[in-house]
Structures are given as structure tokens and as C-alpha cells.
Amino acid sequence: MNTPELKNILISKISQIDDAEFLLALKIILDSKNSTLTHNDYEEYNYEILKAEEDIANNKLYSHKNVEEKIEEWKKR
């Protein structure tokens, strides 16, 4: 089976699906296949990782309990 035939089979099968959640999952898979990361994306990712590691080293972090308490405080405003 060649690529065009496979595409036609998939299009036919997908057109018969009425499950919106399944179709959304399929769309997410297809979108991730088509997305391309640029050099800047990698640089930004690495920068964010370095910042997070520095925050951890400097004890700039919140426990799950701290976050829940902050959420409760914000809800009272």
C-alpha cells in the first residue's frame, strides 16, 4: 500500500467517526507531528530549565500544600 492509498483509507475511516473526543485526540497527534521546533525554541527551553534549576538551588519553590493555601487565599478575595 502506498502513501496516497493509505491517506485515502484514513480519510475515509476518520470521516465515519462521530466521537468528538477521539477526533480531538487525533488532531492533537497530527498537530504534534506537523509542529517543528526552531533553534530559538530549544534555547528558550534550555534557559527555562536553567532558571528552574537555579530556583531549586536557591530554595525558591512551593510545596503542593503551599500552592493549595495560596489558591484558597485568592478565592477569598
Side-chain angles (χ1 to χ4, degrees):
M1 175 178 327
N2 61 31
T3 302
E5 288 173 332
L6 185 55
K7 285 181 179 181
N8 286 332
I9 291 169
L10 289 170
I11 290 168
S12 175
K13 289 188 178 288
I14 291 169
S15 69
Q16 295 172 14
I17 297 172
D18 291 326
D19 183 342
E21 287 183 30
F22 184 82
L23 292 170
L24 181 58
L26 249 158
K27 181 183 179 309
I28 291 169
I29 291 168
L30 294 172
D31 287 348
S32 70
K33 173 66 178 157
N34 293 330
S35 71
T36 56
L37 296 176
T38 65
H39 182 69
N40 288 339
D41 293 330
Y42 287 113
E43 285 181 1
E44 184 177 345
Y45 173 79
N46 289 332
Y47 174 75
E48 293 296 329
I49 295 294
L50 288 174
K51 278 181 51 181
E53 289 173 341
E54 287 175 10
D55 287 345
I56 292 168
N58 294 321
N59 205 29
K60 292 182 180 177
L61 42 96
Y62 294 99
S63 70
H64 184 73
K65 182 175 171 120
N66 292 137
V67 172
E68 287 178 333
E69 290 169 354
K70 287 196 173 289
I71 290 170
E72 290 305 316
E73 287 176 26
W74 291 333
K75 285 181 181 177
K76 292 177 184 176
R77 291 181 186 179

